[in-house]
């Protein structure tokens, strides 16, 4: 296995469909600008309640990507 150096960024994705979709939205948007993303970790999950129901999710993730030469 080769040696790598990683950098982490923090992103917050949102969705009214659920937690997984919020994560996927954040990763998809970041992939337009960030190459070599390798992993993520969930660091915070929040929701918005409207009229007694869950209306919206926000999920904060840290994404690790490899640095290249």
């Amino acid at each position: 296995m080769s040696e790598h150096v990683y950098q982490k960024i923090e992103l917050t994705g949102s969705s009214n469909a659920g937690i997984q979709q919020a994560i996927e939205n954040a990763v998809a948007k970041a992939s337009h600008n960030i190459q070599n993303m390798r992993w993520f970790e969930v660091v915070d999950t929040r929701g918005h309640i409207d009229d007694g129901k869950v209306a919206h999710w926000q999920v904060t993730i840290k994404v690790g990507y490899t640095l290249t030469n």
Side-chain angles (χ1 to χ4, degrees):
M1 181 174 178
S2 61
E3 296 177 358
H4 298 284
V5 174
Y6 297 93
Q7 185 164 4
K8 287 196 299 188
I9 59 167
E10 189 170 277
L11 305 169
T12 300
S14 62
S15 173
N16 58 4
I19 294 170
Q20 182 171 338
Q21 189 61 48
I23 294 167
E24 290 179 9
N25 289 346
V27 170
K29 186 72 168 182
S31 71
H32 295 291
N33 297 311
I34 300 168
Q35 304 295 315
N36 305 313
M37 290 188 292
R38 300 293 181 223
W39 50 265
F40 72 90
E41 59 184 284
V42 175
V43 295
D44 193 24
T45 305
R46 294 179 297 280
H48 175 248
I49 299 170
D50 188 19
D51 197 24
K53 297 179 183 177
V54 175
H56 192 84
W57 290 93
Q58 287 185 331
V59 181
T60 301
I61 61 174
K62 289 186 180 180
V63 175
Y65 60 95
T66 54
L67 296 176
T68 59
N69 294 338

